[in-house]
Amino acid sequence: MPEAPILALPLLEVEGLGIHFGGLHAVRDVTASVPAGQITAIIGPNGAGKSTFFNLISGFYQPTSGRIRFQGEDITRLRTHQVVARGIARTFQTTTIYKELSVLDNAMIGHRVRTRAGLLDALLRTGRERRDEEESRVGAMRALDRVGLAAQAGRPAGALTQEGQKRVGIAMALSSDPKLLLLDEPAAGMNPEETVSLMGLIRELVSGGLTVALVEHKMSLVMGLADGIVVLHHGQKIAQGTPGAVSRDPAVIEAYLGGHAHGGQMGQPGRAAGETGGAHA
């Protein structure tokens, strides 16, 4: 009798998650999970609630309904810095780096959430401040090494290419030593060659023990990278499964492609809604 496949345990679970702003339900009754050690993509048409979903998980928004569990702990009401301290870090749609600072200084900022020194320590340059600064430097260099930027540590972040700046943003998140990394449109503004390079980096990070959840519009990246996909539409989950299963789901085809009058994914022209295989391009 063949052995049953070993399924990855969920690192993150959301149950009945929702938030509304006045009469607008940006996310409504979403139940989903992110398995440990895998790459989970969150996709859907513009306005589907994807970034809002990330904002709820990372503590930027407080949900009006539902629960969020991370490693079995209820983190629903935790603030952003508390969520980061538990092991969840994120990047944003726009590259939020300090271009005038060095690559190393940017990465050190990301590590500061792990330190204990306060404002008084910084003003007086206490021993604790100096120890925390050195700890941040070591943690930041470790993160830069993971994203391939250790040799660029002394350069101004703004002097790097678009891909390099994206890697700096990822390093800032990695400096907090997360277990779950949330990437919000990591390939935005990047050309195909840079996108392939970024895909390689994400795979390396996951091979090194990280779990990744990403929001992305580039379907070539999603279908070539994700182990699993969660599809949102009008703030609700309409599907979750493997890329192959999701691309064949009639509800996904209708909601995700049909709204473009037989155009392409996310408003990109040229593919018929019935050509679900096109999502693999």
Side-chain angles (χ1 to χ4, degrees), residues 23 102 118 242 253 280:
S102 72
T242 65
I253 295 169
H280 295 268

Side-chain angles (χ1 to χ4, degrees), residues 201-216:
L201 171 61
I202 295 172
R203 287 195 186 98
E204 288 177 10
L205 294 175
V206 173
S207 295
L210 195 64
T211 300
V212 169
L214 59 90
V215 165
E216 184 52 61

Side-chain angles (χ1 to χ4, degrees), residues 2-106:
E3 292 186 16
I6 299 175
L7 300 177
L9 295 175
L11 182 68
L12 177 81
E13 300 170 278
V14 299
E15 180 182 347
L17 192 64
I19 186 171
H20 59 80
F21 303 98
L24 172 65
H25 286 267
V27 172
R28 178 184 294 189
D29 195 27
V30 172
T31 296
S33 61
V34 174
Q38 294 189 8
I39 301 169
T40 300
I42 316 297
I43 69 171
N46 288 324
K50 304 179 296 296
S51 291
T52 301
F53 182 68
F54 266 16
N55 284 336
L56 289 168
I57 293 171
S58 53
F60 283 89
Y61 293 162
Q62 293 292 301
T64 50
S65 61
R67 292 192 302 170
I68 307 168
R69 288 192 298 274
F70 181 65
Q71 298 188 117
E73 178 188 0
D74 191 326
I75 64 167
T76 309
R77 298 300 169 190
L78 297 187
R79 298 297 178 183
T80 303
H81 70 281
Q82 296 171 313
V83 173
V84 173
R86 294 301 193 280
I88 300 177
R90 70 166 293 181
T91 65
F92 295 85
Q93 290 180 13
T94 54
T95 307
T96 53
I97 65 171
Y98 299 90
K99 295 186 178 183
E100 71 282 2
L101 297 181
S102 72
V103 169
L104 176 59
D105 286 338
N106 272 275

Side-chain angles (χ1 to χ4, degrees), residues 188-253:
M190 296 170 62
N191 62 40
E193 183 179 347
E194 291 172 331
T195 299
V196 170
S197 178
L198 181 71
M199 290 172 66
L201 171 61
I202 295 172
R203 287 195 186 98
E204 288 177 10
L205 294 175
V206 173
S207 295
L210 195 64
T211 300
V212 169
L214 59 90
V215 165
E216 184 52 61
H217 284 275
K218 293 186 177 181
M219 296 309 297
S220 58
L221 186 151
V222 170
M223 293 298 178
L225 188 64
D227 299 296
I229 296 176
V230 175
V231 187
L232 300 180
H233 186 49
H234 295 312
Q236 295 181 290
K237 187 187 85 172
I238 61 172
Q240 179 170 9
T242 65
V246 164
S247 68
R248 295 188 299 269
D249 190 306
V252 176
I253 295 169

Side-chain angles (χ1 to χ4, degrees), residues 105-253:
D105 286 338
N106 272 275
M108 287 178 67
I109 290 169
H111 189 272
R112 276 296 186 174
V113 298
R114 290 289 187 184
T115 59
R116 297 165 297 282
L119 178 60
L120 186 60
D121 291 298
L123 292 174
L124 299 178
R125 290 293 294 167
T126 63
R128 173 162 37 177
E129 166 64 18
R130 290 192 297 272
R131 287 191 299 273
D132 280 356
E133 184 175 354
E134 180 58 26
E135 181 182 322
S136 292
R137 188 178 304 276
V138 171
M141 284 302 301
R142 187 184 307 119
L144 291 176
D145 186 59
R146 293 177 74 182
V147 302
L149 290 180
Q152 310 292 325
R155 294 189 66 191
L160 272 59
T161 64
Q162 177 70 11
E163 180 193 354
Q165 292 182 34
K166 290 282 187 177
R167 288 178 179 247
V168 172
I170 293 174
M172 291 177 71
L174 292 176
S175 292
S176 67
D177 196 24
K179 298 178 178 66
L180 173 62
L181 178 61
L182 307 177
L183 301 175
D184 197 347
E185 295 193 40
M190 296 170 62
N191 62 40
E193 183 179 347
E194 291 172 331
T195 299
V196 170
S197 178
L198 181 71
M199 290 172 66
L201 171 61
I202 295 172
R203 287 195 186 98
E204 288 177 10
L205 294 175
V206 173
S207 295
L210 195 64
T211 300
V212 169
L214 59 90
V215 165
E216 184 52 61
H217 284 275
K218 293 186 177 181
M219 296 309 297
S220 58
L221 186 151
V222 170
M223 293 298 178
L225 188 64
D227 299 296
I229 296 176
V230 175
V231 187
L232 300 180
H233 186 49
H234 295 312
Q236 295 181 290
K237 187 187 85 172
I238 61 172
Q240 179 170 9
T242 65
V246 164
S247 68
R248 295 188 299 269
D249 190 306
V252 176
I253 295 169

